[in-house]
């Protein structure tokens, strides 16, 4: 939390008064796919960290990484886990504990492995595996409550609900022996927890986070929008790999709940309770910031909420990847949220802030650090 000075000229008084306003900034990113980029000579996570902290970077109070640390098509291994931790070591002005994380589909364990062992060991959102992850829960600026799969933390009247993808255990819901198996999944317990937290906190600005976007909310988040058809009418990968036994219709959005395809539990709830949340932050489909596949952009309004695809930091994982992230700026006493887009390479436009993607959106209530 930082104080900024806002100067306003009061000509009638012949002076310039100073008004102090507090801002809270969240660096939202995802899809580092460190193994993929490293094989191409690029440190996707470390490079983004160094840019954010560099001379032409930007200050941030906390960061969110919304999953897909791994770039493996097979289940991730210890070597890639150590590499993720090594790249987090690029942090100089921030602590590792200022980065809040959740699990994505590529981070999932294999069909015959212990449930999400890799994510729990190396990424470790609760600081339960400190010897491997380096995460010390005592150093988290905002304490977490919950489990590795679903947890919450509060910043003033902001309530962050962090939900992990459950793409494990084998097809059709979980990944196979090879491939990311992209269709998003949650357990019924996670949905019940989310609903209870939403209904118990009507006084909060609720920020829901998952690796995936909800159905038909942002670019390429509709049925079959993860693919294109070839000349013979067969589906082939565009944003995501095509796996016929893994619910390919829903490869671009949160598709399964407890094995039920196209469940739409969150969508149905939000349609019946418009304005129940303020923000849904997701990732998974990494593309350029002006993509409008399906007639939708990467920031859209629906059911009284703002949906933001923040992906992704990778350059080499997927043919449509252009490294970018978002900076969210909350201002004390204001119900406006500024969302900026930072380009980490010059593929789409000069590296740095990309003004055409900047948005100011309304919140349900003014932000305040006071509770």
């Amino acid at each position: 939390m930082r104080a900024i000075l806002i100067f306003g000229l009061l000509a009638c008084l012949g002076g310039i008064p100073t008004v102090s306003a507090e801002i809270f900034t969240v660096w939202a990113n995802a899809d580092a796919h460190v193994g993929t980029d490293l094989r191409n000579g690029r440190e996707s996570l470390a490079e983004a960290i160094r840019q954010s902290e560099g001379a032409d970077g930007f200050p941030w109070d906390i960061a969110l990484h919304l999953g897909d640390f791994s770039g493996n098509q097979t289940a991730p291994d210890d070597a890639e886990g150590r590499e993720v931790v090594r790249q987090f070591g690029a942090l100089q002005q921030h602590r590792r504990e200022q980065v809040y994380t959740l699990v994505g589909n590529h981070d999932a364990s294999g069909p015959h492995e212990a449930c999400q062992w890799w994510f729990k060991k190396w990424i470790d959102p609760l600081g339960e595996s400190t010897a491997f992850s380096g995460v010390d829960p005592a150093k988290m600026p905002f304490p977490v409550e919950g489990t590795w799969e679903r947890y919450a933390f509060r910043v003033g009247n902001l309530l962050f609900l962090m939900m992990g993808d459950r793409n494990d255990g084998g097809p059709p819901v979980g990944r196979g022996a090879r491939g990311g198996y992209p269709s998003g999944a949650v357990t019924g317990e996670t949905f019940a927890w989310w609903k209870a937290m939403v209904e118990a906190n009507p006084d909060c600005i609720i920020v829901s986070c998952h690796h995936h976007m909800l159905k038909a909310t942002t670019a390429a988040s509709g049925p079959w929008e993860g693919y294109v058809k070839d000349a013979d009418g067969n589906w082939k990968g565009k944003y995501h790999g095509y796996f016929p036994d893994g619910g390919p219709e829903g490869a671009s959005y949160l598709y399964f709940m407890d094995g039920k395809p196209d469940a739409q539990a969150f969508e149905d709830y939000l349609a019946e309770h418009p304005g129940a949340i303020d923000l849904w932050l997701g990732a998974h489909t990494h593309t350029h910031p002006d993509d409008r596949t399906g007639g939708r952009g990467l920031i859209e309004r629906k059911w009284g909420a703002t949906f933001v695809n923040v992906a992704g930091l990778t350059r080499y994982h997927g043919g449509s990847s252009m490294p970018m992230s978002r900076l969210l700026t909350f201002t004390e006493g204001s119900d406006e949220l500024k969302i900026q887009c930072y380009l980490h390479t010059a593929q789409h436009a000069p590296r740095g802030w990309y003004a055409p993607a900047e948005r100011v959106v309304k919140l349900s209530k003014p932000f305040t650090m006071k509770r």
Side-chain angles (χ1 to χ4, degrees):
M1 195 71 177
R2 300 176 306 284
I4 60 173
L5 298 181
I6 302 174
F7 296 100
L9 177 62
L10 295 184
C12 61
L13 298 179
I16 303 178
T18 299
V19 179
S20 177
E22 295 290 328
I23 65 170
F24 183 77
T25 50
V26 178
W27 180 29
N29 59 72
D31 293 274
H33 291 292
V34 296
T36 308
D37 277 44
L38 193 65
R39 287 190 291 274
N40 289 275
R42 180 174 183 266
E43 297 179 325
S44 54
L45 180 60
E47 180 177 294
I49 289 170
R50 287 191 289 263
Q51 289 172 349
S52 79
E53 294 186 337
D56 59 345
F58 47 89
W60 49 272
D61 293 299
I62 64 169
L64 307 174
H65 190 292
L66 304 183
D68 274 9
F69 291 88
S70 173
N72 277 346
Q73 292 296 336
T74 55
D77 56 22
D78 283 328
E80 192 172 20
R82 285 188 287 270
E83 177 61 22
V84 172
V85 172
R86 186 190 72 82
Q87 290 198 29
F88 267 127
L91 290 165
Q92 298 294 314
Q93 300 172 20
H94 301 83
R95 297 191 306 272
R96 166 64 181 85
E97 292 80 9
Q98 288 174 263
V99 184
Y100 293 81
T101 59
L102 52 77
V103 60
N105 57 294
H106 274 274
D107 305 322
S109 50
H112 304 297
E113 296 181 328
C115 177
Q116 303 290 5
W117 71 269
W118 184 86
F119 177 78
K120 289 187 282 185
K121 179 178 180 178
W122 294 107
I123 311 303
D124 190 20
L126 302 188
E128 297 173 322
S129 182
T130 308
F132 295 98
S133 69
V135 178
D136 181 351
K139 295 180 180 179
M140 291 180 176
F142 305 100
V144 300
E145 298 179 357
T147 70
W148 66 269
E149 182 179 358
R150 49 187 173 267
Y151 67 94
F153 65 96
R154 299 174 186 271
V155 180
N157 67 340
L158 291 174
L159 174 61
F160 292 85
L161 303 179
M162 308 287 287
M163 297 172 285
D165 188 54
R166 285 303 306 272
N167 184 35
D168 56 81
V173 179
R175 74 188 303 167
R178 179 171 178 79
Y181 280 70
S183 300
V186 292
T187 61
E189 289 86 352
T190 291
F191 174 71
W193 170 85
W194 174 85
K195 178 181 174 182
M197 292 294 286
V198 168
E199 294 182 349
N201 292 278
D203 58 330
C204 288
I205 298 169
I206 296 178
V207 184
S208 297
C209 301
H210 190 274
H211 181 62
H212 292 73
M213 302 305 299
L214 295 185
K215 183 178 182 179
T217 53
T218 52
S221 64
W224 298 105
E225 289 180 356
Y227 314 109
V228 294
K229 284 189 174 181
D230 62 19
D232 297 322
N234 300 312
W235 292 110
K236 65 176 185 178
K238 181 182 179 183
Y239 302 101
H240 307 293
Y242 179 68
F243 301 99
D245 60 347
E249 173 187 353
S252 290
Y253 59 94
L254 182 49
Y255 186 68
F256 289 108
M257 189 176 74
D258 285 341
K260 179 183 177 181
D262 206 18
Q264 297 190 62
F266 293 92
E267 293 90 336
D268 289 345
Y269 182 88
L270 292 173
E272 295 171 3
H273 304 84
I277 66 172
D278 285 85
L279 295 167
W280 183 285
L281 304 182
H284 182 60
T285 297
H286 18 99
T287 180
H288 63 83
D290 298 317
D291 195 337
R292 292 199 57 83
T293 298
R296 301 173 297 271
L298 296 183
I299 301 177
E300 293 287 349
R301 187 87 173 164
K302 193 171 186 178
W303 303 309
T306 300
F307 292 81
V308 185
N309 182 336
V310 309
L313 298 181
T314 181
R315 178 173 182 174
Y316 295 103
H317 194 103
S320 58
S321 301
M322 295 189 184
M324 67 178 182
S325 59
R326 308 280 182 174
L327 187 70
L328 282 60
T329 301
F330 298 87
T331 301
E332 178 74 30
S334 174
D335 64 354
E336 291 188 338
L337 167 66
K338 183 165 69 172
I339 305 172
Q340 296 169 277
C341 177
Y342 192 91
L343 300 179
H344 293 276
T345 65
Q347 294 164 260
H348 187 69
R351 186 174 72 82
W353 297 116
Y354 184 59
E358 183 173 319
R359 301 288 186 273
V360 175
V361 302
K362 282 286 188 179
L363 302 170
S364 61
K365 51 190 67 67
F367 164 68
T368 180
M369 285 295 292
K370 304 176 180 65
R371 285 285 295 167

